[in-house]
Amino acid sequence: MAEKMRRLLASEVLRPTICRECGGILVYGGIGEYRCEECGRIEYDDYGKVRNYLEDHKGANVSEISLETGVSHKSIREMIKENRFEIIENRGGYLRCERCGVDIKSGRMCPKCEETYHRKVEEEARKERQQGLSGYENEKTDKGSKRFKRER
């Protein structure tokens, strides 16, 4: 159980809540930035650390980013899968489409598989809707009669 909890915590983005300087509450300010209500100190979550590092070091690889920011490879990989960042051209092969296996820059699927997936979901929704609309006519009750009647 402890191992499962450790893995779960390792995969989450670390978000600061208490200021290291004064102990005040950190309030989210957007793009991974948190500002202390008491002293105004700014701290960053994992996403903010990676984003700030990449602004100054364009083209850095995952190992370099992890080493310099302290953010785990797994967290960085999840951020890439969530489309927060993108792999640059000459760094291919880090992510593969979960359906066909082709190299991708970010996300979980290549554009072709993603389109196919969404088309399938849309088609299933259409079928469900058709079944839902025609369901009233297939009931074994008389048309126009009340389903529930009050007893007097």
Side-chain angles (χ1 to χ4, degrees):
M1 184 70 166
E3 177 65 23
K4 186 177 179 182
M5 188 62 141
R6 189 177 61 77
R7 278 187 275 130
L8 178 65
L9 291 173
S11 68
E12 292 181 2
V13 174
L14 298 177
R15 293 175 180 87
T17 54
I18 305 295
C19 178
R20 290 186 226 164
E21 190 76 25
C22 71
I25 303 296
L26 294 170
V27 178
Y28 182 68
I31 312 177
E33 182 179 291
Y34 296 78
R35 182 179 299 273
C36 178
E37 289 180 323
E38 303 290 324
C39 68
R41 176 186 167 103
I42 295 175
E43 293 192 26
Y44 297 94
D45 63 11
D46 286 353
Y47 172 68
K49 291 175 188 174
V50 172
R51 181 184 167 98
N52 288 340
Y53 186 79
L54 286 173
E55 284 179 1
D56 296 333
H57 302 89
K58 292 180 182 13
N61 65 31
V62 175
S63 295
E64 181 184 339
I65 296 167
S66 180
L67 182 66
E68 295 296 323
T69 63
V71 178
S72 71
H73 282 249
K74 187 173 183 175
S75 291
I76 296 169
R77 185 181 187 92
E78 286 302 313
M79 287 181 223
I80 294 169
K81 285 184 175 184
E82 293 169 358
N83 287 318
R84 292 181 177 207
F85 304 109
E86 192 173 277
I87 303 291
I88 58 172
E89 293 294 329
N90 61 353
R91 306 268 189 200
Y94 187 72
L95 286 181
R96 298 194 184 282
C97 174
E98 292 178 359
R99 296 184 108 193
C100 70
V102 70
D103 288 349
I104 55 176
K105 294 180 183 179
S106 67
R108 297 187 179 278
M109 292 182 268
C110 67
K112 182 179 177 185
C113 289
E114 190 167 2
E115 182 177 344
T116 302
Y117 169 78
H118 286 290
R119 296 280 184 245
K120 183 179 175 186
V121 170
E122 291 164 4
E123 189 60 36
E124 288 172 2
R126 283 187 189 92
K127 285 179 184 177
E128 261 186 56
R129 184 171 181 223
Q130 286 295 336
Q131 289 173 354
L133 292 176
S134 62
Y136 289 108
E137 295 172 11
N138 294 334
E139 289 182 12
K140 293 182 178 181
T141 59
D142 294 333
K143 285 189 175 183
S145 68
K146 294 181 182 178
R147 185 181 284 177
F148 300 103
K149 297 181 180 178
R150 291 185 193 169
E151 293 186 27
R152 294 182 192 221

